[in-house]
Amino acid sequence: MTAANDDFSIREKRRPSSVQQSAQQIVLFWDWIARGDFSYLLIIGVWFLVSVPPAIFHGYHYVEGLTVTIAQSALDDGNWLTPHLYNLRWIERPTLLSWVIAAMSFPFGHVTPFIARLPIILSLLTGAFLIWRALRSVASPGAAMFGALAFLACPVVMRYYVTSVADLPLAVTLFGAFLLWWSAFVTGRISVSRWIGIACLLATAALMKGPQPVAYFALGLLTFVLLTSTWWQIPGLALAGGLAILPTALWYVHVFAPGDQSEWLRYTRLSSDGIAQPHPIANTVNFFFECFPAALLAGALFMTRANSGKKTVPQNFVLALSCYAFACTLIILFWPAEINPRYILPMVLPLCVLAGIAYDALPDGWAPLVASGIGIVVGLLGYAATHSAADVLLTPAYNHSKIAGAQIAKLVRSAPAPIYRTNSSSGLNELPYAPYRVSTITPAAISMIAKPAWIVVPTADAPAMIARANGRIKSRLVLDKSILLRSE
């Protein structure tokens, strides 16, 4: 009788709890959806729903006006290699994204919001499929779909769905270079032509924001070489690095003028003016939630030291992904400057691949965590889809710049006069909507310009200017952090 009771007790302990059973049902349902041939169509559908409507309807926000103004200045004045913000020389970094947008807009003569965002939303789709493709050959269909959709659901990615800045295309390009390297490394031989192909992708990435972000590939691969003693890769890596840096170096030589070095030091956070107290713990917490839910499953993969049950994950794949994702991120955590989460976008794609591997590799007892990850992905994408649908059915978010731009155009049409601004950020996202030439002048030059004139100035400067003008300058339109003035 005692033995029977003991046997019953063991069976009860082994029986999954109701929570585990529910979690397993969720995972099985996800696997069933992914098992068909339509999983890639589902990814395309989700991408289209969350990104295309905002790309059409959103007004410019964040620093999109910077990207658009450089592109428009290239069209208007022929300033292609040396970027300009209207008449203001701007040599902070190379601006490949703006050049691409200008080239796409050339037949129309003017940059539109959708064209400005088209490279971004295409990069978003490409990134999801790079993750899906990287997982499809080493993991289950459910894991591949989870990794791809987790990328679209990461908060830091959601923030840049339709933001015309170079960070997302840069991250996708660098990950493409990593996969190009890995597909050759796993065969045991990397040809010279493969290293040249990698160099082309790295050169493209460097022309987007300068050479610093390319460290994700360079430091990641060097760390991998060090840990695996695959020293035979060093010559190829040196070749790829040398070829990759050449176009960017030539750009710096082409645009250089005495004094530019101080601006480049400021941009690269190497200037003493930009030094700040590092906050590695706060950065770690921030980065974790910015990469949620991919970080959740990837973290569980490392904590449990799980292995792929199907043994389909190639040897050192997890190590290579980890080196690529974390070697440069670790430096960013401790960098003595203010850190923006978009700096770690290159980490997100390999993290999503690791999360997909974890989807398959985590033990059965971790099914509630996997199901939670699925639920979070669905919830975040549901929020993004609702937000996107609201742009079509209701007043779009981030619409203030579009409305203000139309108001500027209407005011200038009713009272034609030259348009000026007193710094590069005044009217940043509003002026690109007005189809008029804009000139940047110093505040001291306002008294010397021909009257009448329209002037966009920072909100803090406007009251003093109006007071000194004794009625000759009046406020006409309040913008975001700026005011449009009319000088008679």
Side-chain angles (χ1 to χ4, degrees), residues 192-469:
V192 173
S193 60
R194 181 62 61 101
W195 283 116
I196 293 174
I198 291 169
C200 291
L201 289 176
L202 296 181
T204 301
L207 286 171
M208 289 185 188
K209 287 196 71 176
Q212 274 188 311
V214 180
Y216 261 96
F217 181 90
L219 290 178
L221 193 52
L222 282 172
T223 303
F224 180 81
V225 168
L226 178 64
L227 294 177
T228 58
S229 298
T230 52
W231 308 110
W232 54 269
Q233 297 190 83
I234 294 296
L237 182 59
L239 172 65
L243 293 176
I245 205 66
L246 186 60
T248 302
L250 290 174
W251 179 85
Y252 280 110
V253 170
H254 173 77
V255 304
F256 177 75
D260 286 349
Q261 58 270 28
S262 60
E263 175 65 11
W264 293 338
L265 287 173
R266 182 203 60 78
Y267 170 70
T268 54
R269 306 300 191 273
L270 297 173
S271 170
S272 58
D273 294 338
I275 291 179
Q277 182 71 28
H279 302 285
I281 296 177
N283 288 338
T284 300
V285 174
N286 188 23
F287 292 173
F288 178 82
F289 286 104
E290 289 287 355
C291 298
F292 210 68
L296 182 67
L297 263 68
L301 179 70
F302 295 123
M303 287 191 297
T304 60
R305 297 182 180 179
N307 295 312
S308 175
K310 298 180 181 179
K311 304 299 181 185
T312 55
V313 179
Q315 184 181 10
N316 288 329
F317 189 41
V318 171
L319 177 62
L321 287 165
S322 301
C323 291
Y324 175 82
F326 303 126
C328 192
T329 302
L330 187 63
I331 295 175
I332 294 175
L333 286 176
F334 291 90
W335 196 262
E338 293 298 325
I339 301 300
N340 192 307
R342 62 193 172 96
Y343 299 162
I344 55 106
L345 268 169
M347 179 185 73
V348 176
L349 289 96
L351 200 66
C352 290
V353 177
L354 290 170
I357 293 172
Y359 179 98
D360 280 347
L362 290 175
D364 291 339
W366 288 73
L369 181 68
V370 176
S372 297
I374 293 172
I376 294 168
V377 166
V378 172
L380 288 172
L381 291 177
Y383 166 79
T386 302
H387 188 277
S388 177
D391 284 345
V392 179
L393 302 174
L394 304 173
T395 301
Y398 303 108
N399 206 31
H400 301 294
S401 62
K402 184 188 298 186
I403 295 172
Q407 291 173 329
I408 292 172
K410 182 179 180 180
L411 286 169
V412 175
R413 278 197 306 269
S414 63
I419 306 174
Y420 300 93
R421 63 177 182 174
T422 57
N423 62 35
S424 60
S425 61
S426 296
L428 181 67
N429 290 320
E430 297 91 352
L431 288 173
Y433 283 104
Y436 303 106
R437 287 183 176 270
V438 179
S439 298
T440 306
I441 59 174
T442 63
I446 292 177
S447 60
M448 295 180 286
I449 61 175
K451 310 298 190 300
W454 296 98
I455 310 169
V456 183
V457 302
T459 303
D461 297 345
M465 288 185 181
I466 294 173
R468 287 195 302 267

Side-chain angles (χ1 to χ4, degrees), residues 49-261:
L49 184 59
V50 302
S51 66
V52 174
I56 297 172
F57 295 104
H58 272 195
Y60 292 131
H61 62 281
Y62 191 43
V63 292
E64 283 190 289
L66 179 70
T67 305
V68 173
T69 301
I70 292 173
Q72 190 62 52
S73 297
L75 291 176
D76 292 342
D77 304 317
N79 294 316
W80 287 82
L81 287 180
T82 304
H84 277 67
L85 298 175
Y86 300 118
N87 63 309
L88 184 67
R89 182 172 172 269
W90 190 88
I91 45 79
E92 184 178 88
R93 55 178 170 80
T95 55
L96 180 59
L97 177 60
S98 292
W99 300 334
V100 170
I101 293 170
M104 293 169 60
S105 303
F106 186 79
F108 313 103
H110 193 77
V111 179
T112 63
F114 184 73
I115 291 179
R117 290 157 177 163
L118 188 57
I120 309 303
I121 63 175
L122 292 179
S123 296
L124 184 70
L125 181 63
T126 302
F129 271 110
L130 285 178
I131 294 166
W132 182 81
R133 182 64 180 171
L135 284 165
R136 196 64 187 86
S137 59
V138 302
S140 68
M145 192 171 76
F146 178 81
L149 293 181
F151 171 68
L152 297 178
C154 280
V156 69
V157 176
M158 293 172 68
R159 194 175 298 120
Y160 296 99
Y161 275 170
V162 295
T163 304
S164 190
V165 293
D167 299 88
L168 186 59
L170 168 67
V172 173
T173 302
L174 287 176
F175 192 61
F178 169 82
L179 293 180
L180 191 63
W181 163 78
W182 172 258
S183 63
F185 173 82
V186 77
T187 66
R189 182 177 180 274
I190 308 178
S191 65
V192 173
S193 60
R194 181 62 61 101
W195 283 116
I196 293 174
I198 291 169
C200 291
L201 289 176
L202 296 181
T204 301
L207 286 171
M208 289 185 188
K209 287 196 71 176
Q212 274 188 311
V214 180
Y216 261 96
F217 181 90
L219 290 178
L221 193 52
L222 282 172
T223 303
F224 180 81
V225 168
L226 178 64
L227 294 177
T228 58
S229 298
T230 52
W231 308 110
W232 54 269
Q233 297 190 83
I234 294 296
L237 182 59
L239 172 65
L243 293 176
I245 205 66
L246 186 60
T248 302
L250 290 174
W251 179 85
Y252 280 110
V253 170
H254 173 77
V255 304
F256 177 75
D260 286 349
Q261 58 270 28

